Amino acid sequence: MKVLVVEDDLEIQALINYYFTKEGYKVTVASDGLEGLKYLKKDKHELIILDLMLPNLDGINFTKIVKEMEDEYGSPYIIMLTAKTEVEDVLKGLEIGADDYMKKPFDPRELLLRGRKLLNQQEKNKKIRNRFVDLEIDEDKHLVTNNGEEVELSKKEYDLLLLLVKNKGIVVSREKILDKVWGSNYYSGDRTVDVYISKLREKIPFLTECIKTVKGVGYRLEEKK
């Protein structure tokens, strides 16, 4: 799992890096908010340890940008590091989506425990989110199983199925499917999505009745009644 440390105090930055790296996490460090956003956009991270007082872009605005632009920055957990005098900023950060905070000075072992707890919760949520009836999608292994049996899918079929499962019960438009699966710069005819939906129904027969066509809009995945 990947951890991004956004902290301008180099001693604190090195201390956090040491403890999380020792536990097997892949750590990236940044010394200001804009640098942190650049790293996050380039490579999604599961956890961000974020100082509130940062050069160029402070922790509050950093958090706001990340939470409002999930498609670009993913949905990482955020632990804020604050000075004792920043109570109002802490409350503001929690209101806009930060998950936890610690006051400086702090024990890095406690920070590690809090981070591990959030990441373990994320793993549980991911498994629940990527399950539909007897269908399970393991993103780490890029593996799809139906009732325990592996289903072989192409890259595009896998991405389309994952998108539908993650949005089960919600109508996903053809435009969103094309953007997420084929990329916003990719031109494709109107029939492309329909063809790939047919392929999924063929390879996973029970989906025939579960993938509902919403005319003029897109598709919705829902359990058979």
Side-chain angles (χ1 to χ4, degrees):
M1 285 193 168
K2 296 183 286 295
V3 177
L4 174 63
V5 180
V6 190
E7 167 63 68
D8 62 333
D9 186 314
L10 297 184
E11 288 187 9
I12 295 176
Q13 184 188 102
L15 187 66
I16 298 170
N17 187 5
Y18 170 77
Y19 273 88
F20 277 83
T21 300
K22 189 171 70 169
E23 287 295 310
Y25 296 106
K26 182 181 178 182
V27 180
T28 305
V29 297
S31 298
D32 68 65
L34 290 179
E35 185 183 26
L37 281 182
K38 181 183 74 174
Y39 287 137
L40 191 60
K41 186 174 182 179
K42 183 179 178 181
D43 189 12
K44 302 294 187 296
H45 290 67
E46 286 80 20
L47 174 66
I48 301 173
I49 299 170
L50 176 70
D51 186 25
L52 275 184
M53 300 299 291
L54 291 166
N56 298 322
L57 180 70
D58 64 37
I60 294 297
N61 285 303
F62 180 100
T63 301
K64 189 174 183 181
I65 291 170
V66 170
K67 293 300 181 180
E68 288 180 351
M69 302 178 70
E70 184 177 331
D71 288 348
E72 196 159 354
Y73 298 108
S75 51
Y77 285 109
I78 296 177
I79 299 177
M80 298 185 304
L81 302 179
T82 74
K84 289 183 179 179
T85 56
E86 298 168 346
V87 177
E88 290 302 319
D89 286 334
V90 169
L91 295 176
K92 190 183 298 181
L94 293 173
E95 284 176 359
I96 62 175
D99 300 282
D100 199 358
Y101 74 95
M102 289 194 70
K103 291 181 180 179
K104 296 178 181 179
F106 58 87
D107 187 328
R109 293 171 299 180
E110 182 183 353
L111 178 62
L112 179 62
L113 287 173
R114 292 192 185 200
R116 186 187 298 151
K117 183 178 179 181
L118 288 173
L119 291 171
N120 287 342
Q121 183 60 46
Q122 185 181 59
E123 280 299 292
K124 291 178 184 177
N125 291 340
K126 183 189 287 187
K127 288 178 181 178
I128 293 171
R129 194 179 181 195
N130 292 354
R131 183 182 296 126
F132 180 75
V133 192
D134 293 324
L135 197 66
E136 290 190 15
I137 303 175
D138 187 326
E139 291 184 73
D140 294 327
K141 296 179 181 178
H142 206 271
L143 177 69
V144 177
T145 57
N146 180 26
N147 201 22
E149 296 290 326
E150 183 176 350
V151 180
E152 290 194 14
L153 299 176
S154 69
K155 173 77 165 57
K156 291 291 188 291
E157 291 165 354
Y158 172 91
D159 291 343
L160 174 57
L161 179 62
L162 182 61
L163 180 64
L164 292 174
V165 170
K166 283 189 172 182
N167 291 276
K168 53 195 171 193
I170 301 172
V171 178
V172 184
S173 68
R174 281 185 172 82
E175 290 76 15
K176 183 172 182 177
I177 292 173
L178 286 170
D179 180 52
K180 294 294 184 184
V181 178
W182 279 269
S184 56
N185 296 322
Y186 181 88
Y187 173 77
S188 179
D190 292 339
R191 288 285 300 155
T192 299
V193 176
D194 300 337
V195 168
Y196 275 80
I197 289 290
S198 296
K199 289 182 178 181
L200 287 181
R201 286 169 168 161
E202 181 180 338
K203 290 187 176 183
I204 310 172
F206 86 88
L207 290 182
T208 300
E209 297 182 53
C210 296
I211 300 178
K212 305 293 183 182
T213 304
V214 181
K215 290 185 178 179
V217 183
Y219 292 93
R220 180 179 66 249
L221 182 65
E222 60 182 38
E223 290 192 34
K224 184 172 61 174
K225 296 180 180 178

